[in-house]
Amino acid sequence: MALIGDKEYFKGIGEIKYEGRESDNPLAFKFYNPEQLVAGKTMREHFKFAMAYWHTLCGTGGDPFGPGTKQFPWATSSDAVQAAKEKADAAFEFITKMGFDYYCFHDFDLVDEASTLAESEKRIQEIVEYLKQKQDASGAKLLWGTSNCFSNPRYMNGAASNPNFDVVARAGAQVKIALDATMALDGENYVFWGGREGYMSLLNTNMKLEQDNIGRFLNMAKDYARSQGFKGTFFIEPKPMEPTKHQYDFDAATSINTIREYGLENDFKLNIEVNHATLAQHTFQHELQVAANAGMLGSIDANRGDYQNGWDTDQFPNNVLETTEAMLVFLKSDGLQGGGINFDAKTRRNSTDLEDIFLAHIGGADTFARALILADEVLQKSPYQSLLDKRYSSFQSGKGADYVAGKLSLSDLYDYAGTHGEPEQISGKQELYENILNQYS
Ligand code: XLS
Ligand code: NI
Ligand code: NI
């Protein structure tokens, strides 16, 4: 693949290859072997790994206590579009060297926002033309696009949920431009993360109107994109808090309710982020399961939080056992519907070498790959699935099967219980399940 523009940004780093777990080369995959078959599909097909433009190309490590620490060699030009092209060159060099097939962006990750809507749109159109060429040359594709309707101060009270219609309209214009960009780049999906759609205090909030306005807004965005021929899936990305105290897309169950309440179930699914799940006091696997149960497991934002810190630290995944539990749900749900695994993760503020960005993504990909292999082994070779089946076997035959088939009434339960005495005590065997998982890891 042709890739590197005139300038090479990640000097001294070549294509990252699979070398197996015995390799001591830090710049090689130990478990992620793109062409390896697991449960009937290659790892590449299962995962559709994506690079997140915002963290990888834009995030220089600033935090509330200090500025960025990373000096990126791209986007140095004072001309916004020229700087954006440098960033795109670096992005595609990175994706290609990683051997990934996808990337994701917010509109203003691609190019800096201008002072007017018209000028911003022009900039986006210019960089989209450039990205088309980069996609064609590299074969890399757009997993999803989204719009950043939360950073600009105009969105301090929210975007689609803003109490002022002028801001809602401005957000609509921005989303239209981001949808146009996503469609021009053959984006496979489009994401709505709530940003500042929520409230800081209920005292000054008309929650009903704000939520209904979000419903109207999502329908408009969907109708517009469909009218332009967009065939992809829309995703809502749940998150319980941060930046607002309470986000309207709190968790998977809440977001599924939004999707159904506003009639979006034929077009919308969920993008589940690990760190958002844990902020909502759920496990990642819980959120995947809730989404899968509703037929809405669309995509994953891969990262992890910190057990001691209550915010979105967006660290790269590295917990194999936890990811294995998630991959059990993933495999049993037959994977993702339309989406992929986007590394919505950033290197730490003091990880300042360009090489660290590669190491982080290698670690993330290896964590998922190893977990997928383990989950598949657990399903194929261990007694895990048969234990689980046995636990629910009373619903397979007799009155239990009638119950599941909807053939019994409450009086039938009464009659049955009256003739069967005290139910037998049956252990849940949690430790056995945990031991099985450990045995295969
Ligand atoms: C922020 C979100 C964001 C979305 C895209 O917490 O994870 O990065 O993925 O807007
Ligand atoms: Ni995310
Ligand atoms: Ni996040």
Side-chain angles (χ1 to χ4, degrees):
M1 285 192 276
L3 313 177
I4 306 168
D6 297 341
K7 185 163 173 197
E8 185 175 16
Y9 288 105
F10 302 98
K11 288 201 184 68
I13 299 178
E15 227 171 282
I16 307 299
K17 302 214 172 71
Y18 168 72
E19 293 184 6
R21 72 182 299 173
E22 305 306 327
S23 167
D24 54 12
N25 175 5
L27 288 167
F29 294 117
K30 314 299 181 299
F31 297 94
Y32 178 56
N33 182 4
E35 306 314 326
Q36 184 177 329
L37 278 173
V38 180
K41 275 196 238 171
T42 64
M43 288 191 178
R44 182 189 288 282
E45 291 165 333
H46 274 293
F47 293 137
K48 294 168 70 178
F49 282 137
M51 176 210 75
Y53 225 92
W54 53 103
H55 287 308
T56 300
L57 282 308
C58 311
T60 56
D63 71 13
F65 302 93
T69 50
K70 304 169 198 217
Q71 274 116 37
F72 291 152
W74 51 85
T76 53
S77 170
S78 55
D79 176 76
V81 173
Q82 188 48 39
K85 288 181 177 172
E86 291 172 21
K87 217 195 276 189
D89 289 342
F92 279 77
E93 183 190 331
F94 178 78
I95 298 166
T96 304
K97 285 183 168 176
M98 283 301 303
F100 285 180
D101 295 319
Y102 288 93
Y103 69 110
C104 302
F105 62 71
H106 301 86
D107 39 13
F108 297 124
D109 301 334
L110 299 180
V111 61
D112 286 348
E113 184 171 7
S115 55
T116 66
L117 184 66
E119 178 59 21
S120 294
E121 180 168 25
K122 194 162 150 263
R123 284 186 185 180
I124 288 187
Q125 286 168 344
E126 280 186 68
I127 195 63
V128 161
E129 282 312 307
Y130 192 68
L131 288 168
K132 273 188 198 167
Q133 296 168 26
K134 305 293 295 183
Q135 289 188 178
D136 287 346
S138 64
K141 293 172 278 190
L142 177 59
L143 185 65
W144 49 261
T146 187
S147 66
N148 178 337
C149 288
F150 44 89
S151 294
N152 190 299
R154 82 171 70 88
Y155 297 123
M156 68 179 187
N157 291 309
S161 65
N162 199 288
N164 176 5
F165 172 71
D166 287 4
V167 181
V168 175
R170 180 61 195 251
Q174 193 181 321
V175 167
K176 178 183 178 295
I177 295 166
L179 280 165
D180 288 338
T182 301
M183 291 186 283
L185 291 167
D186 288 324
E188 296 184 10
N189 308 278
Y190 189 86
V191 162
F192 290 93
W193 166 57
R196 293 181 197 272
E197 315 291 26
Y199 63 79
M200 300 304 289
S201 168
L202 194 54
L203 278 176
N204 65 0
T205 302
N206 180 340
M207 192 203 276
K208 171 86 173 119
L209 179 64
E210 291 197 2
Q211 290 195 298
D212 287 349
N213 280 348
I214 289 176
R216 284 184 259 276
F217 190 98
L218 295 176
N219 268 290
M220 280 179 196
K222 181 259 296 176
D223 290 344
Y224 171 71
R226 293 290 183 235
S227 77
Q228 301 300 302
F230 180 62
K231 298 268 186 299
T233 305
F234 298 90
F235 298 136
I236 289 183
E237 182 179 322
K239 184 175 183 180
M241 65 190 88
E242 193 204 26
T244 68
K245 169 185 166 58
H246 178 95
Q247 306 258 130
Y248 291 138
D249 49 11
F250 192 93
D251 61 1
T254 310
S255 302
I256 290 167
N257 184 59
T258 301
I259 288 172
R260 290 182 177 151
E261 180 162 1
Y262 298 107
L264 297 161
E265 57 273 18
N266 294 328
D267 301 272
F268 278 67
K269 300 191 188 303
L270 299 181
N271 179 33
I272 301 294
E273 177 162 327
V274 188
N275 204 165
H276 297 182
T278 51
L279 280 175
Q281 306 289 321
H282 300 309
T283 60
F284 174 35
Q285 55 271 27
H286 168 90
E287 290 291 84
L288 295 180
Q289 188 69 62
V290 171
N293 292 350
M296 292 186 192
L297 179 51
S299 206
I300 287 176
D301 267 12
N303 57 23
R304 77 176 201 275
D306 179 298
Y307 288 128
Q308 283 74 43
N309 288 344
W311 67 89
D312 202 9
T313 59
D314 286 346
Q315 288 160 255
F316 275 82
N318 83 338
N319 189 324
V320 175
L321 210 52
E322 272 182 13
T323 314
T324 304
E325 286 197 42
M327 288 299 100
L328 283 174
V329 180
F330 179 97
L331 282 174
K332 287 171 64 166
S333 319
D334 210 15
L336 304 172
Q337 297 186 34
I341 297 196
N342 168 48
F343 288 107
D344 190 356
K346 58 190 176 197
T347 53
R348 298 302 86 192
R349 186 170 187 264
N350 57 350
S351 296
T352 47
D353 293 342
L354 287 180
E355 179 201 70
D356 295 330
I357 307 175
F358 280 85
L359 298 174
H361 284 82
I362 290 169
D366 273 343
T367 301
F368 271 83
R370 190 171 179 194
L372 184 78
I373 295 166
L374 295 174
D376 183 49
E377 283 186 5
V378 167
L379 289 173
Q380 299 304 322
K381 300 184 191 158
S382 84
Y384 169 80
Q385 189 58 45
S386 58
L387 276 169
L388 197 55
D389 292 344
K390 190 164 158 247
R391 190 159 193 238
Y392 293 91
S393 59
S394 64
F395 292 100
Q396 293 294 324
S397 60
K399 291 287 178 196
D402 289 348
Y403 179 82
V404 169
K407 292 182 186 158
L408 301 188
S409 67
L410 195 64
S411 302
D412 293 328
L413 300 189
Y414 174 85
D415 293 343
Y416 181 91
T419 55
H420 281 75
E422 184 59 29
E424 181 195 351
Q425 186 180 59
I426 304 174
S427 170
K429 307 291 281 180
Q430 181 176 329
E431 295 79 5
L432 176 57
Y433 287 85
E434 289 169 349
N435 292 353
I436 290 172
L437 210 64
N438 252 351
Q439 190 182 347
Y440 283 81
S441 60

